[in-house]
Amino acid sequence: ITSCVNEVSIPIYAQHIDPIEPGSNTGWTLPEAIKTVGASGTLINHSEHRLNLADIDTCISRARTLELDTLVCANNVATSKAVSTFSPMMIAVEPPELIGGDISVTTADPGIVKNTVDAVRTINKSVKILCGAGVKNGKDVAKAIELGTDGVLLASGVVKSKDKEAVLRDLASDI
């Protein structure tokens, strides 16, 4: 993370933190360590590293204490609603079966996106809502915005591409 922080002027997020305090926690990611190396925030509860709701709540609280932004991934509307009560900075709805695939959640299941937006905004209007899973192009981004999200969360659409700059330009083309 430190090398990224030193090379770019955009916020850098850690992939994960654990719901722990300083002490004997070998193999765990201490929120203070993420802060010390210069991260601005962290993902919490990615589908590849799921946590229970109590641990998500603790991670958000620990990050807030350290003034780290929080982006919590949720696999469905119910999880998004529950997480919104913890007041993270952002929630990203990402059905796991679509992550890294070729079909965007905005095409495969626009209802989960719209229903998440409606549910979260009913509970906590201050939480930014993103959608992820299969987002690959500007049309996917435009559809996500049309469905009420504040933006998208993506990685593989850019990371797996041969021309990353062209993909990034396309992602921003329809907004």
Side-chain angles (χ1 to χ4, degrees), residues 2-74:
T2 301
S3 61
C4 289
V5 169
N6 292 335
E7 293 294 322
V8 299
S9 59
I10 60 173
I12 301 297
Y13 279 35
Q15 293 182 10
H16 172 79
I17 60 171
D18 285 301
I20 58 171
E21 299 276 344
S24 299
N25 296 295
T26 301
W28 294 72
T29 304
L30 182 67
E32 282 83 356
I34 297 307
K35 179 70 173 187
T36 298
V37 297
S40 301
T42 183
L43 289 176
I44 298 169
N45 197 49
H46 190 273
S47 70
E48 295 171 356
H49 196 137
R50 286 221 181 120
L51 302 172
N52 64 45
L53 286 174
D55 287 343
I56 293 169
D57 185 22
T58 300
C59 286
I60 293 168
S61 296
R62 297 278 294 115
R64 186 177 296 118
T65 299
L66 296 167
E67 298 180 349
L68 290 168
D69 296 342
T70 52
L71 169 50
V72 180
C73 299

Side-chain angles (χ1 to χ4, degrees), residues 19-168:
I20 58 171
E21 299 276 344
S24 299
N25 296 295
T26 301
W28 294 72
T29 304
L30 182 67
E32 282 83 356
I34 297 307
K35 179 70 173 187
T36 298
V37 297
S40 301
T42 183
L43 289 176
I44 298 169
N45 197 49
H46 190 273
S47 70
E48 295 171 356
H49 196 137
R50 286 221 181 120
L51 302 172
N52 64 45
L53 286 174
D55 287 343
I56 293 169
D57 185 22
T58 300
C59 286
I60 293 168
S61 296
R62 297 278 294 115
R64 186 177 296 118
T65 299
L66 296 167
E67 298 180 349
L68 290 168
D69 296 342
T70 52
L71 169 50
V72 180
C73 299
N75 60 329
N76 57 43
V77 177
T79 301
S80 297
K81 284 173 63 174
V83 168
S84 70
T85 66
F86 305 143
S87 296
M89 182 182 208
M90 295 172 272
I91 293 174
V93 61
E94 290 194 304
E97 66 276 10
L98 297 172
I99 294 174
D102 293 324
I103 300 172
S104 172
V105 64
T106 60
T107 300
D109 192 358
I112 195 172
V113 178
K114 180 70 173 131
N115 292 338
T116 295
V117 169
D118 293 344
V120 170
R121 294 243 158 80
T122 298
I123 295 167
N124 191 332
K125 289 180 179 21
S126 68
V127 175
K128 301 284 185 200
I129 305 165
L130 309 178
C131 84
V135 175
K136 295 274 189 293
N137 57 51
K139 289 184 184 1
D140 296 336
V141 175
K143 184 64 175 178
I145 304 284
E146 178 185 312
L147 291 167
T149 70
D150 297 293
V152 296
L153 175 65
L154 63 100
S156 62
V158 175
V159 174
K160 291 181 178 179
S161 71
K162 291 183 187 203
D163 187 348
K164 292 167 182 37
E165 182 177 343
V167 170
L168 289 169

